[in-house]
Amino acid sequence: MRLARVTKDGKIGLAAKTGDIVTIAYGDDLADLDAHIAAGTLVEAGEKATAGEPVDEASLLFLPPVVRPAKIVCLGLNYRDHAEESGLGIPEHPVLFARFASSLTGHKAPIILPKVSEQLDWEAELAVVLSTGGKDIAEADALDHVAGYSVFNDASIRDYQLRTPQWTAGKNFDDTGAFGPYLVTPDELPAGAAGLKIECRLNGEVMQSSHTGNLIFSVARTIHLLSSFMTLQSGDVLVMGTPGGVGVARSPQVWMKAGDVCEVEIESVGLLVNPIVAQ
Ligand code: ZN
């Protein structure tokens, strides 16, 4: 199933995409994917959306698939070429940082270029939403804890990120964590969403191109390692890191400007499009 929390004509609904057909059923409770994941009712909700009325996908405004995860755990330097271009070495342990839900934005919504910086950069990433949590989850069982996958643009304010050792500020500006459009259930994808092409395009020009098989720490290994030190919870989001080709590592450096359009696409998972708008 491919499910999205959307609004149409001011009403909130749950959209389902089956092939090229998009259907919608309305209702705040029905569209509450966080609640369905927690209650284990995602399939039932998806069936209601699939049986809903056909709708023109272009008429929908997309919200992030989940909006109140207990944790958003991001991996840095999780592709070899990006670790190398960053000059920070290949990690032996996952490099982790946190995003907060206040930084999330949806498909087609703007990524905001803030007043205080010009250094707005893109990062194409695979997002993972957990179904059930747990502690000390075995790597072999880890993918049983995945509710679905989606696309993420971990848009980063580089001067704020890199002027201190901790990256939290530069990774948590409002309207920079673009997420969506659809939550895609694992049955639609290869195990661990591995081996899928991942690409970032800025104004149509390819800036990053890799595949998810290049992850240093796979989805299963990441769930296992995280759960070795903290209890994972239903609805937690993991953002799996970005391949090489970010703007900060280019010569000359490239930053996203107001009026730009940034696209992140992961094969079989989706296409996430965001215009850049000045604060
Ligand atoms: Zn990132």
Side-chain angles (χ1 to χ4, degrees):
M1 283 180 168
R2 295 164 188 273
L3 303 175
R5 186 195 308 242
V6 299
T7 62
K8 179 171 168 58
D9 303 331
K11 288 191 295 181
I12 194 161
L14 185 65
K17 187 167 188 174
T18 310
D20 291 332
I21 307 298
V22 178
T23 49
I24 186 170
Y26 293 97
D28 287 5
D29 289 345
L30 180 62
D32 190 343
L33 290 177
D34 301 73
H36 291 304
I37 290 167
T41 54
L42 194 63
V43 170
E44 291 88 334
E47 285 168 351
K48 286 181 185 161
T50 304
E53 61 188 72
V55 66
D56 177 6
E57 190 178 29
S59 70
L60 301 176
L61 295 175
F62 287 76
L63 304 168
V66 297
V67 293
R68 46 176 198 281
K71 293 187 275 297
I72 304 172
V73 181
C74 302
L75 281 78
L77 312 176
N78 199 27
Y79 287 79
R80 186 169 292 270
D81 56 353
H82 178 56
E84 286 169 349
E85 74 180 359
S86 301
L88 294 170
I90 307 298
E92 289 179 37
H93 307 280
V95 175
L96 303 173
F97 62 91
R99 257 194 191 268
F100 305 105
S102 56
S103 71
L104 296 177
T105 189
H107 170 59
K108 297 198 291 188
I111 289 174
I112 301 295
L113 172 66
K115 281 188 229 170
V116 294
S117 175
E118 296 180 344
Q119 296 192 4
L120 175 63
D121 206 346
W122 56 86
E123 292 194 353
E125 310 208 11
L126 174 70
V128 183
V129 180
L130 298 187
S131 51
T132 52
K135 186 86 194 315
D136 297 323
I137 297 169
E139 187 169 341
D141 301 331
L143 296 180
D144 297 340
H145 294 257
V146 175
Y149 298 91
S150 193
V151 183
F152 205 94
N153 191 340
D154 180 27
S156 304
I157 309 298
R158 294 298 185 200
D159 45 356
Y160 276 71
Q161 177 192 349
L162 298 171
R163 70 189 187 183
T164 55
Q166 303 291 331
W167 299 349
T168 309
K171 295 288 192 176
N172 278 284
F173 276 61
D174 292 348
D175 300 291
T176 57
F179 185 16
Y182 293 90
L183 181 72
V184 181
T185 52
D187 55 297
E188 302 258 351
L189 299 171
L196 302 174
K197 185 176 181 186
I198 180 169
E199 194 164 272
C200 177
R201 298 181 291 272
L202 183 63
N203 303 322
E205 182 182 348
V206 175
M207 307 306 271
Q208 296 179 288
S209 186
S210 185
H211 69 86
T212 55
N214 286 334
L215 289 171
I216 295 172
F217 297 97
S218 69
V219 173
R221 183 136 190 89
T222 298
I223 291 170
H224 165 68
L225 291 170
L226 292 175
S227 74
S228 71
F229 63 85
M230 64 178 170
T231 300
L232 295 174
Q233 292 162 272
S234 174
D236 282 352
V237 177
L238 314 180
V239 185
M240 295 301 301
T242 203
V246 295
V248 67
R250 290 170 178 264
S251 183
Q253 291 177 323
V254 179
W255 307 118
M256 297 195 287
K257 306 178 302 299
D260 287 351
V261 175
C262 192
E263 297 174 287
V264 177
E265 186 162 19
I266 303 177
E267 177 186 3
S268 305
V269 181
L271 171 64
L272 172 67
V273 182
N274 297 96
I276 311 304
V277 173
Q279 182 184 1

